[in-house]
């Protein structure tokens, strides 16, 4: 079996859902993967087509190592080259699973979990919005002008508590909210220490959510890398009594010493990893025992196989797997295979709560039912893009596969 071509398509949702499809000479067999959005991503994918044509898709690791080698000067240690390769890796797994008639988790050692627990990213209360790969706000055709604005009321404890109850009402028993946006607008930098008033606001919001959902629901809090260790420690102490599931990205992860400092200072569990690439990227944090959860993004960190390697190595360090995810159902299901096959899996992110057509993007029934993804026995990734539905939201200026 040989790869005969590559094509891409982009759905303009809350983010760019970027698909890559590989074609083979095997009786119409093809595979589709999803990539984490990046500027110029479909052009990078297009540049990789010639490298893949004629290669055997069953040589999963060999193909990925080849692409990494060819991209060595263009960013193969970390960066958006890997957003592209991650989608290709998923497409290859999709092809190989379909070829052998087995689901992707079988290629990863078989399943350990029969279903995958999902947590709903609940942002900061009401949040229908859409952003480009460079985080510019935009109004795609499925949003009304003015939607996506963030008035100050949405950062009040009442708004968070209301949203938390709504999310529980949708069947989730785990959720995550933005904690930093309570004091700093998205996109702004904080160039000073937190004030006591700001810290008090964060604490009040965390308490309001805990009171709204009770003790049985897990609640995590995201800081988007905004704080110095001293302030991150103050935040951890402020929300500690609400028993959060984790505090996410309290400081930039590039300096693992900062993350380790926060972890040592409180009982609150720490998660990071969404902007890290490959096993190499997470290893310093693991070796420093700086985190409790690792959050590789399967559409970005190197792919399905690399995510499984990250999970297994993290397991040896006593760290749980909680993948970051902002994808469509196709990418979420690819990630679910990794989770199902990983002993240390805890919970997987779902980021499509405010995308009205999220479930319509695949031909199958909604994959999340009662806050869980049932592990499919269908070959490959096991979900099929509903192209007539997805095509309606195609990003202007991008090709739609081979059209
Ligand atoms: Mg995050």
């Amino acid at each position: 079996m040989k790869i005969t071509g590559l094509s891409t398509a982009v759905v303009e949702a809350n983010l760019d859902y970027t698909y890559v499809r590989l074609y083979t000479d095997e009786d119409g067999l093809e595979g589709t993967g999803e990539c984490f959005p990046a500027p110029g991503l479909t052009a990078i994918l297009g540049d990789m087509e010639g490298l893949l044509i004629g290669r055997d898709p069953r040589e999963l690791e060999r193909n990925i190592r080849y692409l990494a080698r060819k991209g060595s000067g263009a960013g193969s240690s970390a960066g958006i080259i890997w957003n592209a390769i991650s989608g290709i890796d998923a497409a290859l797994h999709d092809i190989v699973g379909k070829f052998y008639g087995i689901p992707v988790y079988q290629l990863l050692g078989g399943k350990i979990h029969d279903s995958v627990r999902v947590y709903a990213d609940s942002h900061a209360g009401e949040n229908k919005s859409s952003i480009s790969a460079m985080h510019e706000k935009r109004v795609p055709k499925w949003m009304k002008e003015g939607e996506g604005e963030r008035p100050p009321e949405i950062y009040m404890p009442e708004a968070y508590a209301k949203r938390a109850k709504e999310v529980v009402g949708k069947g989730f028993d785990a959720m995550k909210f933005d904690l930093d946006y309570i004091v700093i607008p998205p996109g702004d930098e904080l160039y000073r220490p937190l004030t006591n008033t700001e810290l008090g606001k964060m604490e009040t919001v965390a308490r309001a959510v805990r009171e709204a959902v009770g003790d049985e629901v897990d609640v995590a809090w995201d800081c988007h890398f905004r704080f110095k260790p001293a302030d991150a420690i103050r935040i951890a102490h402020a929300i500690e009594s609400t028993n959060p599931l984790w505090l996410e990205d309290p400081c930039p992860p590039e300096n693992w010493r900062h993350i380790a400092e926060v972890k040592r200072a409180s009982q609150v569990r720490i998660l990071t990893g969404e902007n890290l690439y490959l096993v190499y990227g997470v290893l310093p944090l693991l070796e420093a025992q700086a985190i409790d959860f690792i959050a590789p993004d399967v559409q970005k960190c190197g792919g399905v196989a690399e995510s499984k390697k990250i999970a297994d190595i993290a397991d040896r360090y006593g760290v749980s797997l909680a993948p970051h995810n902002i994808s469509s159902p196709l990418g979420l299901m690819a990630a679910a295979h990794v989770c199902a096959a990983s002993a240390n899996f805890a919970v997987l992110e779902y980021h499509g709560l405010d995308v009205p057509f999220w479930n319509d993007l695949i031909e199958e029934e909604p994959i999340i039912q009662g806050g869980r993804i049932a592990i499919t026995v269908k070959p490959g990734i096991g979900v099929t893009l509903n192209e007539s539905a997805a095509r309606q939201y195609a990003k202007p200026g991008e090709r739609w596969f081979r059209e």
Side-chain angles (χ1 to χ4, degrees), residues 119 121 176 222-225 248-249 271 274 324 349:
Y119 76 88
D121 188 311
K176 179 171 84 188
D222 195 347
C223 292
H224 300 104
F225 327 100
E248 177 166 332
D249 297 326
L271 174 145
E274 68 181 66
H324 179 259
E349 179 167 10

Side-chain angles (χ1 to χ4, degrees), residues 121-142:
D121 188 311
S122 309
H123 312 288
E126 179 63 40
N127 188 39
K128 189 183 275 187
S129 69
S130 183
I131 52 173
S132 74
M134 289 302 292
H135 283 215
E136 271 186 296
K137 282 201 324 190
R138 63 188 178 190
V139 183
K141 59 186 174 189
W142 54 274

Side-chain angles (χ1 to χ4, degrees), residues 190-214:
L190 189 71
Y191 292 114
R192 55 168 176 76
L194 279 175
T195 66
N196 291 336
T197 306
E198 289 167 334
L199 206 60
K201 271 191 199 167
M202 290 179 171
E203 185 177 353
T204 309
V205 168
R207 279 190 199 290
V209 170
R210 174 54 71 208
E211 279 165 23
V213 300

Side-chain angles (χ1 to χ4, degrees), residues 123-124 150-152 154-155 160 178-195 197-199 201-202 205 222-228 231-232 235 248-252:
H123 312 288
R150 292 180 161 124
I154 71 166
Y155 301 113
Y160 274 70
D178 301 328
L179 192 58
D180 54 331
Y181 293 170
I182 297 167
V183 298
I184 329 162
D188 284 6
E189 293 291 333
L190 189 71
Y191 292 114
R192 55 168 176 76
L194 279 175
T195 66
T197 306
E198 289 167 334
L199 206 60
K201 271 191 199 167
M202 290 179 171
V205 168
D222 195 347
C223 292
H224 300 104
F225 327 100
R226 307 292 271 283
F227 304 108
K228 299 272 189 293
D231 272 340
I235 293 168
E248 177 166 332
D249 297 326
C251 321

